[in-house]
Amino acid sequence: MPRFSIIIPVYNRPGEIADLLESLAAQTVKNFEVVITEDGSTIPCRDICDSYADRLDITYLQQENIGRSPARNNSMEHARGDYFVFFDSDCVIPADYFATLADALDEHPLDCFGGPDAAHESFTDTQKAINFAMTSFLTTGGIRGGKASMEKFTPRTFNMGFSRRVYEKVGGFHEMFSEDIDMSKRIEAAGFTTGLIRRCPVFHKRRINLGKFFRQVHVFGKSRITLKLLYPGSMKLVHALPACFVVGLLMLVIGAIFLTPWLLAPIGVYVVALFATALASTRSLKVALMAVPAAFIQLIGYGTGFIKAFFTKIILGKGRNIEEEIAARKGK
């Protein structure tokens, strides 16, 4: 029996799955199986999965296009491992990941765990800039990068795992945005231990252009309000900072137009700080230059999504109320 069952939902990503499976085939230990559920793709990856059958213990499943959470749940129903490990289809896994993970869990057992993400040297400059925007302390408070953080660590499904015992007690994922945070909250509420394993990063490609990146983080901002409705005590200062950034940025720009251009100085200082930090971490002038607009897109996208959902759901009381959010979370 495998110790780990790797759970991967996929939708129209055959090229990404090929890269992910190649990285799994190169693992230094093979104490795992791979269970892929195709979520009604119009461009299936069955042939790619079949091509790795001689190098990986792999199971390929299909379902109608009903969402990534049902896809993960379907894979878990067919999994045989003691732990379920979740990757997104756009991840590449370092060769020593599962050897390191096994050692880490032997040293300090955890019911639920996660790791940071990073940019592989083969990624495009845009992907590296977006990775900086999503992991830097100056943009997200460090909640995704595995370093100092303004928020208690919460595993996310680009690099997350939990034991079979957790699954049997807590159940599967709910079909919603930020379903991984919802799952982590449920695991915590059930009394299980959760921790960050810093030495188990993955290389996360993320969105390949800034337009798609904006839409993604805008949804993240809106989903944070949904999580507040579901878990009233879960909202932290770090979650509201992008919204504060948007308001502050707007006020500074308006003030600079009508009062004095010197009000743009704080923006300039922040731009310099972003550039210097990105240059130090990526060691690339081009990526550092691209990281500045990527960081602004990350903050403005998330912040505007947060503000929109806060005004609509909390101030106006439109959309689902708390009871409806909870019912939707439970799949009723």
Side-chain angles (χ1 to χ4, degrees), residues 8-299:
I8 306 167
V10 60
Y11 177 73
N12 286 343
R13 302 287 183 91
E16 291 181 351
I17 281 294
D19 291 343
L20 174 53
L21 293 180
E22 184 63 28
S23 69
L24 292 175
Q27 292 294 303
T28 56
V29 297
K30 299 277 193 348
N31 52 356
F32 59 82
E33 65 170 343
V34 181
V35 188
I36 292 176
T37 293
E38 186 116 52
D39 182 35
S41 297
T42 58
I43 310 173
C45 64
R46 177 187 287 275
D47 291 344
I48 294 171
C49 294
D50 289 345
S51 70
Y52 281 90
D54 61 338
R55 301 169 62 188
L56 293 169
D57 179 359
I58 187 168
T59 300
Y60 174 84
L61 306 167
Q62 289 179 297
Q63 68 177 27
E64 295 180 1
N65 181 216
I66 54 176
R68 58 182 179 263
S69 289
R72 292 190 184 104
N73 295 340
N74 183 56
S75 291
M76 285 191 286
E77 290 177 4
H78 292 82
R80 297 172 290 134
D82 296 324
Y83 288 90
F84 301 148
V85 180
F86 304 89
F87 299 134
D88 287 346
S89 62
D90 59 350
C91 290
V92 175
I93 315 304
D96 61 349
Y97 181 96
F98 281 95
T100 304
L101 176 60
D103 289 344
L105 290 176
D106 288 341
E107 293 170 9
H108 301 286
L110 291 167
D111 299 307
C112 176
F113 54 86
D117 64 338
H120 192 268
E121 60 182 11
S122 66
F123 287 5
T124 67
D125 291 337
T126 299
Q127 289 171 325
K128 292 176 181 177
I130 289 174
N131 182 267
F132 170 83
M134 290 296 287
T135 59
S136 173
F137 184 84
L138 292 177
T139 53
T140 61
I143 59 178
R144 291 173 177 263
K147 299 177 182 178
S149 174
M150 294 176 64
E151 179 192 18
K152 181 180 178 181
F153 173 71
T154 301
R156 289 167 168 83
T157 46
F158 62 79
N159 186 5
M160 176 183 185
F162 50 73
S163 68
R164 177 176 291 276
R165 191 164 66 94
V166 168
Y167 171 62
E168 291 172 348
K169 182 171 182 178
V170 177
F173 291 88
H174 297 140
E175 182 56 17
M176 57 183 289
F177 291 119
S178 297
E179 72 282 358
D180 45 6
I181 302 177
D182 170 72
M183 172 62 86
S184 294
K185 294 297 183 184
R186 290 157 51 205
I187 290 172
E188 180 182 359
F192 291 106
T193 58
T194 299
L196 167 65
I197 304 178
R198 285 189 170 86
R199 48 196 173 123
C200 285
V202 301
F203 301 118
H204 197 185
K205 296 176 183 176
R206 301 193 182 280
R207 295 300 187 237
I208 60 174
N209 65 60
L210 296 180
K212 291 181 178 179
F213 179 49
F214 177 88
R215 291 191 290 273
Q216 181 187 46
V217 294
H218 188 74
V219 169
F220 287 169
K222 292 195 294 184
S223 68
R224 176 51 63 180
I225 298 302
T226 299
L227 290 167
K228 172 179 171 53
L229 294 176
L230 293 172
Y231 307 99
S234 66
M235 183 74 75
K236 307 299 181 185
L237 174 63
V238 66
H239 302 138
L241 287 180
C244 296
F245 176 86
V246 170
V247 174
L249 182 66
L250 185 61
M251 292 176 64
L252 289 174
V253 170
I254 293 174
I257 294 173
F258 293 102
L259 298 175
T260 171
W262 284 105
L263 287 173
L264 295 177
I267 301 175
V269 171
Y270 185 61
V271 167
V272 171
L274 285 171
F275 174 78
T277 305
L279 183 61
S281 64
T282 66
R283 300 179 184 276
S284 167
L285 178 61
K286 183 178 180 181
V287 173
L289 289 170
M290 296 176 67
V292 173
F296 273 76
I297 286 172
Q298 192 277 328
L299 290 165

